[in-house]
């Protein structure tokens, strides 16, 4: 049986050379190359969703891939697709990088300039390892098939548009439907999830920032278990500690959560940080909350353009949610969609702060009356995004809520 090999790199000449050499290996079947980290993860996720057997045995990652650095990308692939063997191609084949690559989950390292003998030896060894892992797991498709839980980010077009309220209610809806759900406060300096849920906490996301290998026990120590069943990872009480959470740390933290929870909802706030940008980039669904007024819609348009310029996310891969909607408002959701060029959530959240005021002031947002039109709309939005488990859905389905295609990152 031929060995399927997926090359990944952003340098066209380097990838072309790599693909040519791979095609000369015996029993090798090189796949069309991918050009960046997002395309690689999306491709593997799409193949895993079809069948574990569709995944390539070997992925060859060039050191100059981006926007996610190669070692961080390897760590994510190893975590989400454990039966795919990864080889790193690099100019630095010294013991330091070799150790770092192995720690990240790589199965081999090949030095540049490429040598046919070295590449053939590494590919053969990694392919045998991958085949052995799949044979050992047998038909345990659930161990391999899941690309991890669904990650949803909630960002605000500006401060005060209701992003935190939306994030909390989306997470509560997912948890109430039976999905294991984590809610992360990545508004690192001004996060208020703890206040909305009236909790006192000791650990925060900053306590995980310096840890290179987040084990289940370490993660459990940092997570606050709420009475509703939600797993909360909160922003630090001291805002200055937010600087400790780098983009690399954020990817690793959310990756660890994704591997252990079916749904991960991340409140990114209205200010773009490196950590927030990294999580928006890796999310399955990125929501941008706005209100139907000129200032907020301008903020939404500015945010969308910034994400596109920084290659964080394309406009069509972002979903705008209109909060405080009223039928009499001059700015309607369809106009917001035209202005921003994004996808638009079918569910608009009505303007009715009186329903919320008591629960917000008491810090008991989780006790919001079920008859509240705001709560009903946000829980309907959770269903629209596929975060809510259907009544007849099997309990064994991990990360199965994937939402409509229009709300998820486009597969290349």
């Amino acid at each position: 049986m031929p060995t399927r090999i997926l090359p990944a790199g952003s340098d066209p000449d380097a990838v072309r050379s790599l693909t040519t050499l791979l095609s000369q290996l015996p029993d090798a079947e090189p796949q069309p190359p991918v050009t960046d980290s997002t395309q690689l993860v999306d491709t593997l996720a799409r193949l895993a969703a079809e069948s574990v057997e569709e995944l390539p045995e070997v992925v060859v990652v060039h050191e100059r891939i981006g926007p996610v650095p190669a070692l961080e990308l390897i760590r994510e692939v190893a975590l989400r697709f454990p039966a795919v063997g990864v080889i790193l191609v690099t100019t630095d084949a010294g013991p330091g990088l070799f150790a770092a690559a192995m720690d990240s989950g790589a199965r081999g390292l090949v030095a540049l300039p490429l040598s046919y003998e070295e590449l053939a030896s590494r590919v053969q060894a990694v392919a045998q390892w991958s085949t052995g892992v799949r044979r050992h797991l047998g038909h345990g498709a659930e161990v391999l098939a899941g690309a991890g839980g669904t990650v949803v980010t909630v960002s605000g077009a500006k401060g005060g548009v209701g992003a935190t309220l939306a994030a909390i209610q989306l997470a509560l809806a997912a948890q109430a439907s039976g999905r294991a759900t984590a809610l992360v406060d990545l508004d690192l300096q001004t996060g208020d999830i703890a206040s909305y849920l009236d909790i006192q906490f000791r650990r925060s996301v900053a306590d995980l920032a310096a840890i290179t290998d987040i084990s289940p026990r370490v993660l459990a120590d940092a997570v606050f278990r709420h009475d509703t069943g939600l797993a909360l990872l909160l922003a630090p009480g001291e805002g200055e500690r937010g600087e400790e959470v780098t983009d690399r740390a954020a990817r690793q933290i959310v990756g660890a959560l994704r591997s252990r929870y079916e749904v991960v909802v991340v409140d990114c706030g209205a200010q773009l940080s490196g950590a927030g940008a990294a999580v928006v980039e890796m999310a399955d669904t990125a929501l941008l909350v706005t209100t139907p007024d000129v200032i907020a819609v301008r903020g939404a348009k500015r945010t969308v353009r910034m994400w596109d310029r920084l290659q964080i996310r394309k406009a069509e891969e972002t979903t705008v949610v209109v909060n405080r909607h009223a039928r009499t408002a001059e700015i309607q959701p369809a106009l917001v969609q035209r202005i921003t060029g994004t996808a638009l959530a079918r569910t608009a959240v009505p303007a009715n702060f009186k329903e919320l005021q008591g629960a917000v002031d008491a810090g008991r947002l989780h006790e919001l009356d079920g008859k509240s039109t705001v709560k009903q709309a946000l829980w309907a939005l959770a269903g629209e995004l596929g975060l809510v488990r259907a009544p007849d859905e099997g309990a064994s389905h991990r990360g199965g809520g994937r939402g409509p295609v229009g709300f998820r990152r486009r597969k290349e």
Side-chain angles (χ1 to χ4, degrees):
M1 181 177 177
T3 299
R4 291 162 298 181
I5 309 169
L6 179 60
S10 58
D11 185 328
D13 293 334
V15 172
R16 190 179 305 111
S17 174
L18 175 62
T19 304
T20 300
L21 201 55
L22 289 172
S23 65
Q24 299 173 12
L25 302 182
D27 298 322
E29 186 180 300
Q31 308 295 297
V34 295
T35 57
D36 61 40
S37 57
T38 300
Q39 190 180 1
L40 173 59
V41 174
D42 282 353
T43 299
L44 293 177
R46 174 176 53 80
L47 294 173
E50 295 174 6
S51 169
V52 176
E53 297 305 319
E54 296 298 319
L55 286 168
E57 285 77 20
V58 181
V59 170
V60 182
V61 176
H62 193 278
E63 64 179 354
R64 289 202 294 271
I65 197 168
V68 176
L71 291 183
E72 294 179 33
L73 176 62
I74 290 171
R75 185 184 297 277
E76 182 174 359
V77 171
L79 182 66
R80 296 180 61 183
F81 312 98
V84 174
V86 184
I87 296 173
L88 175 63
V89 175
T90 176
T91 53
D92 175 15
L97 181 61
F98 180 84
M102 297 303 106
D103 288 342
S104 296
R107 302 302 307 178
L109 187 147
V110 175
L112 290 169
L114 292 172
S115 158
Y116 175 87
E117 290 76 13
E118 184 182 12
L119 184 63
S121 173
R122 283 291 88 211
V123 167
Q124 182 180 18
V126 173
Q128 289 176 350
W129 171 86
S130 176
T131 302
V133 169
R134 299 181 194 203
R135 186 183 303 116
H136 174 72
L137 292 170
H139 297 288
E142 290 180 67
V143 176
L144 290 170
T150 300
V151 175
V152 178
T153 57
V154 184
S155 304
K158 58 182 285 294
V161 297
T164 298
L165 169 69
I168 292 172
Q169 290 298 327
L170 290 175
L172 287 171
Q175 180 68 35
S177 75
R179 293 195 184 279
T181 304
L183 175 60
V184 185
D185 196 342
L186 216 59
D187 188 356
L188 295 171
Q189 293 186 332
T190 58
D192 277 326
I193 286 179
S195 298
Y196 276 113
L197 298 178
D198 191 27
I199 57 177
Q200 302 294 323
F201 64 98
R202 293 185 303 108
R203 303 290 186 185
S204 75
V205 65
D207 293 306
L208 295 176
I211 300 175
T212 57
D213 185 13
I214 302 176
S215 67
R217 182 171 181 176
V218 168
L219 189 63
D221 286 343
V223 164
F224 182 96
R225 183 65 62 177
H226 193 258
D227 293 342
T228 58
L230 280 179
L232 303 177
L233 189 55
L234 300 164
E238 305 81 15
E240 64 274 14
R241 291 199 64 199
E243 296 181 359
E244 300 173 23
V245 186
T246 63
D247 54 346
R248 177 178 181 178
R251 290 192 190 97
Q252 185 170 337
I253 291 166
V254 174
L257 288 167
R258 172 183 242 158
S259 70
R260 295 171 177 89
Y261 294 92
E262 294 177 88
V263 176
V264 181
V265 179
V266 186
D267 179 5
C268 293
Q271 298 296 321
L272 184 67
S273 63
V279 177
V280 169
E281 191 275 334
M282 70 184 288
D284 297 296
T285 301
L287 301 181
L288 182 60
V289 180
T290 185
T291 47
D293 58 85
V294 172
I295 302 302
V297 174
R298 283 178 177 170
K301 183 177 181 180
R302 185 168 57 243
T303 297
V304 169
R305 288 183 171 180
M306 178 171 61
W307 286 0
D308 187 58
R309 287 195 306 272
L310 298 177
Q311 297 184 343
I312 296 169
R313 207 168 188 95
K314 297 177 182 178
E316 61 269 24
E317 295 173 346
T318 302
T319 300
V320 161
V321 177
V322 178
N323 188 26
R324 300 174 197 153
H325 169 257
R327 293 183 179 181
T328 57
E330 292 187 14
I331 299 178
Q332 292 295 312
L335 178 59
V336 177
Q337 182 182 25
R338 288 200 298 273
I339 292 172
T340 59
T342 61
L344 176 69
R346 294 190 299 272
T347 304
V349 184
N352 201 336
F353 184 73
K354 287 183 179 180
E355 297 178 352
L356 305 173
Q357 189 163 7
V360 169
D361 290 345
R364 310 289 291 177
L365 198 55
H366 53 291
E367 295 180 355
L368 185 62
D369 192 330
K371 295 180 181 179
S372 163
T373 57
V374 174
K375 178 177 179 177
Q376 289 175 359
L378 288 168
W379 285 42
L381 176 61
E384 181 181 335
L385 299 174
L387 305 182
V388 176
R389 172 174 289 156
D392 59 345
E393 187 176 339
S396 63
H397 291 181
R398 260 190 76 81
R402 291 303 189 185
V405 173
F407 294 100
R408 292 177 52 75
R409 180 177 288 279
R410 185 181 67 249
K411 307 302 181 186
E412 301 293 343

